[in-house]
Amino acid sequence: LDHPKKIRSTSIRVEVSPNNPEYDPVVVSFPRGIPSSIIDNDKNESSATGDGTASPPRFTSSKLKASSSRGRRITGSDDNCTYSASAAGRGHDGRLTKMYVCVYNKKQKTLKLIPSAEKGTVFSLEQSVKDYTPSVANGSMLIGGGRTEEGNGTTTKVMSASDQVQMLVESFGSKKKQKVMASRASNKVNIHSVVGA
């Protein structure tokens, strides 16, 4: 039997920073995934200084209302997307939970705990692609712009997202799901047959 190697332990000094609302870090999350420019820069360990990699997003933080100290808006953008989140800035609700950002310094063997701004609020950043406008025709969103024109001059209608879902359910869905979709289709109101519309 092999015996496990002894694990070396190192003592670490913990430092707790006092609250400083002007300099405390803001905690953000990317629910739709971390921006590719951040991932690319982590892999390359280089900044975008002409080496072909995208520059990481730049963020700004501002008050929701100029007249109030409560509430914060975080906005940012990179080459492809914009990001935004806001918190209403409600008063502290008495919870004892606090959020800290920890920074570990390997050389000095210290762990610095920094209280996060906005009493531990995590700003969930909404992501939107620059220069993208979804096409909407007859009340349903169309994928690919609704119509495509091919090289020979013919125009082809692109299937709407709801039609694609309908086809998937008809082909692969359970009987229960097919009944639900049939019920939805029968409950649709034709706007042209409504009197006064």
Side-chain angles (χ1 to χ4, degrees):
L1 295 173
D2 290 334
H3 294 288
K5 293 181 179 179
K6 285 188 175 181
I7 299 173
R8 284 193 317 155
S9 62
T10 305
S11 61
I12 297 172
R13 187 168 43 93
V14 177
E15 301 173 358
V16 181
S17 298
N19 281 352
N20 187 347
E22 192 172 331
Y23 295 105
D24 287 343
V26 174
V27 179
V28 299
S29 71
F30 295 94
R32 294 187 178 177
I34 296 175
S36 61
S37 57
I38 292 175
I39 295 169
D40 292 343
N41 283 338
D42 283 347
K43 287 180 184 174
N44 298 334
E45 292 185 7
S46 63
S47 63
T49 55
D51 60 0
T53 59
S55 60
R58 298 188 57 88
F59 293 94
T60 58
S61 174
S62 60
K63 293 180 181 180
L64 275 179
K65 296 179 184 175
S67 61
S68 175
S69 63
R70 289 185 177 181
R72 184 126 328 258
R73 179 186 324 274
I74 307 292
T75 56
S77 66
D78 60 12
D79 295 338
N80 302 318
C81 298
T82 59
Y83 308 92
S84 65
S86 62
R90 296 181 187 93
H92 189 57
D93 61 3
R95 290 176 294 158
L96 298 176
T97 305
K98 293 183 181 178
M99 187 167 301
Y100 286 83
V101 174
C102 300
V103 179
Y104 177 59
N105 186 329
K106 289 182 182 179
K107 289 182 181 178
Q108 296 179 354
K109 307 249 186 291
T110 59
L111 181 68
K112 187 172 187 176
L113 302 174
I114 307 163
S116 66
E118 296 296 316
K119 296 187 173 50
T121 300
V122 177
F123 290 86
S124 179
L125 293 166
E126 283 297 317
Q127 178 180 353
S128 58
V129 179
K130 290 180 179 177
D131 302 327
Y132 172 74
T133 308
S135 298
V136 178
N138 297 329
S140 64
M141 190 174 296
L142 300 179
I143 297 171
R147 295 189 176 274
T148 58
E149 190 165 320
E150 297 175 13
N152 59 6
T154 60
T155 306
T156 312
K157 185 178 186 295
V158 178
M159 192 177 303
S160 71
S162 61
D163 290 340
Q164 287 182 347
V165 170
Q166 180 70 32
M167 284 182 57
L168 281 171
V169 170
E170 287 173 0
S171 300
F172 302 107
S174 65
K175 291 193 183 285
K176 184 177 180 181
K177 187 66 175 178
Q178 288 175 3
K179 285 181 182 179
V180 169
M181 292 301 283
S183 173
R184 280 188 193 164
S186 67
N187 289 334
K188 275 189 181 176
V189 175
N190 184 355
I191 192 70
H192 303 295
S193 63
V194 176
V195 176

